C-alpha cells in the first residue's frame, strides 16, 4: 500500500534545542497534516497544509508543504519538555472531498536526553 | 465541546473470541472513521461513514471485521473471530464534514492472547 517515509524514527532533545523532522512520499499528495500523539491518547492535529510551497506556523511549530507535493517538514523551535511524544505526518490525495483516506507515516518519537 | 468518546479503554480476549468497540463522535459531526494503530506504526483507516452510510471500507477485513452506524451518530466496530494480529489500538475519529479536520478519541487498546 501507499507509504509515507518519515524520518528520523526517533530523536532525543535537550530543552531549548530546535527539532526538525520530515516526511516523503513517492506519490503526490494534495494535503499534508502533522499530528502529535501522547501515550494513551489519540493523535491531535498540529498543522494542516493545503497548497504546495505553503509555510504555516503554529506557535513554535512551523511546517512546509514541499513544492513537489511529495514531501513536508516540521520544525519545532526552542523545544520544551512537553514537546515529547510521537509526531506523525499524514497526507491525502483529495482536494477537499473526503479526508478519510488519510495515510500516516510511522511517526517520529521525540524523547528527552538523559 | 466534548470530544470523541470511546469505550472500553482496554480489552483483553483470547483468539477466536469476539469483541466490540463503541464510539460516540462529537455532536454534529457527520463523518466518522475507525482506524487501527498497530504498535510502532501510524493509524490505518478501516472504515469511514458519512452519516449512516459507508464511504470507504476498502481496508476493512470484512471476513472478520464489521462496523455499523445505524442512526448516523454513534458507531460500533466488531471483530469476530479475533486473531493475534488484531492486537492494536482502535481509534475512532469524527469530523464535521468530509473536508474538516479529524478529531480522534483516545482509543481502545485490544490485546489478543
Amino acid at each position: 500500500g501507499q507509504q509515507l517515509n518519515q524520518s528520523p524514527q526517533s530523536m532525543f532533545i535537550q530543552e531549548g534545542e530546535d527539532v526538525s523532522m520530515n516526511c516523503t512520499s513517492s506519490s503526490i499528495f494534495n494535503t499534508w497534516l502533522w499530528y502529535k500523539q501522547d501515550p494513551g491518547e489519540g493523535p491531535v492535529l498540529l498543522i494542516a497544509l493545503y497548497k504546495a510551497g505553503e509555510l504555516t506556523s503554529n506557535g513554535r511549530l512551523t511546517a512546509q508543504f514541499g513544492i513537489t507535493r511529495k514531501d513536508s517538514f516540521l520544525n519545532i523551535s526552542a523545544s520544551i519538555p512537553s514537546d515529547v511524544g510521537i509526531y506523525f505526518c499524514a497526507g491525502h490525495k483529495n482536494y477537499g472531498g473526503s479526508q478519510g483516506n488519510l495515510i500516516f507515516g510511522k511517526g517520529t518519537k521525540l524523547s528527552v536526553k538523559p | 465541546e466534548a470530544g470523541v468518546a470511546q469505550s472500553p479503554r482496554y480489552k483483553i480476549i483470547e483468539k477466536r473470541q469476539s469483541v466490540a468497540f463503541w464510539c460516540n463522535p462529537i455532536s454534529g459531526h457527520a463523518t466518522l472513521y475507525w482506524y487501527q494503530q498497530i504498535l510502532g506504526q501510524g493509524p490505518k483507516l478501516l472504515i469511514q461513514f458519512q452519516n449512516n452510510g459507508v464511504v470507504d471500507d476498502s481496508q476493512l477485513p470484512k471476513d472478520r471485521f464489521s462496523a455499523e452506524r445505524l442512526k448516523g451518530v454513534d458507531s460500533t466496530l466488531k471483530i469476530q473471530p479475533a486473531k493475534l494480529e488484531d492486537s492494536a489500538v482502535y481509534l475512532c475519529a469524527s469530523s464535521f464534514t468530509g473536508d474538516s479536520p479529524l478529531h480522534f478519541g483516545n482509543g481502545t487498546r485490544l490485546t489478543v492472547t
Side-chain angles (χ1 to χ4, degrees):
Chain A
Q2 179 65 53
Q3 292 282 334
L4 285 182
N5 300 307
Q6 193 171 344
S7 66
Q9 282 189 326
S10 63
M11 56 194 310
F12 288 88
I13 59 171
Q14 208 147 41
E15 188 171 352
E17 286 182 341
D18 294 345
V19 172
S20 274
M21 59 192 78
N22 67 74
C23 203
T24 61
S25 169
S26 55
S27 300
I28 289 174
F29 283 82
N30 290 334
T31 301
W32 284 96
L33 305 164
W34 285 93
Y35 285 84
K36 179 176 184 254
Q37 187 172 28
D38 291 326
E41 298 184 11
V44 174
L45 181 66
L46 298 174
I47 292 180
L49 302 159
Y50 298 104
K51 289 195 314 187
E54 181 180 354
L55 184 72
T56 297
S57 293
N58 177 8
R60 294 177 297 104
L61 277 60
T62 302
Q64 184 158 30
F65 191 143
I67 292 174
T68 65
R69 295 201 210 158
K70 293 183 178 181
D71 62 335
S72 177
F73 72 75
L74 174 71
N75 286 342
I76 305 173
S77 63
S79 57
I80 59 178
S82 61
D83 290 335
V84 164
I86 301 178
Y87 292 79
F88 290 99
C89 63
H92 67 85
K93 299 180 181 180
N94 294 336
Y95 269 122
S98 165
Q99 284 199 2
N101 56 339
L102 266 180
I103 298 164
F104 281 80
K106 289 190 174 182
T108 294
K109 185 176 181 181
L110 223 58
S111 305
V112 176
K113 269 183 191 169
Chain B
E1 65 180 5
V4 176
Q6 289 189 247
S7 67
R9 284 303 310 272
Y10 306 94
K11 190 75 178 177
I12 301 174
I13 62 172
E14 295 181 351
K15 60 184 179 184
R16 291 187 290 272
Q17 286 186 324
S18 61
V19 65
F21 314 125
W22 175 82
C23 172
N24 191 28
I26 292 172
S27 177
H29 280 196
T31 313
L32 185 147
Y33 315 79
W34 283 102
Y35 281 82
Q36 180 193 58
Q37 186 176 23
I38 292 172
L39 186 65
Q41 297 186 20
K44 184 185 86 170
L45 179 69
L46 293 175
I47 189 167
Q48 177 191 347
F49 292 93
Q50 180 71 22
N51 296 309
N52 61 349
V54 175
V55 174
D56 183 353
D57 63 356
S58 57
Q59 297 190 92
L60 186 74
K62 298 180 188 63
D63 57 333
R64 298 184 300 105
F65 286 63
S66 64
E68 59 184 17
R69 194 186 184 199
L70 292 175
K71 295 183 179 178
V73 181
D74 56 353
S75 174
T76 56
L77 175 70
K78 296 178 182 177
I79 307 175
Q80 181 179 8
K83 292 185 175 182
L84 295 176
E85 59 261 36
D86 298 332
S87 294
V89 174
Y90 290 84
L91 293 162
C92 179
S94 71
S95 60
F96 185 64
T97 68
D99 293 349
S100 311
L102 274 66
H103 297 262
F104 284 87
N106 287 331
T108 296
R109 181 177 295 277
L110 174 68
T111 302
V112 182
T113 63

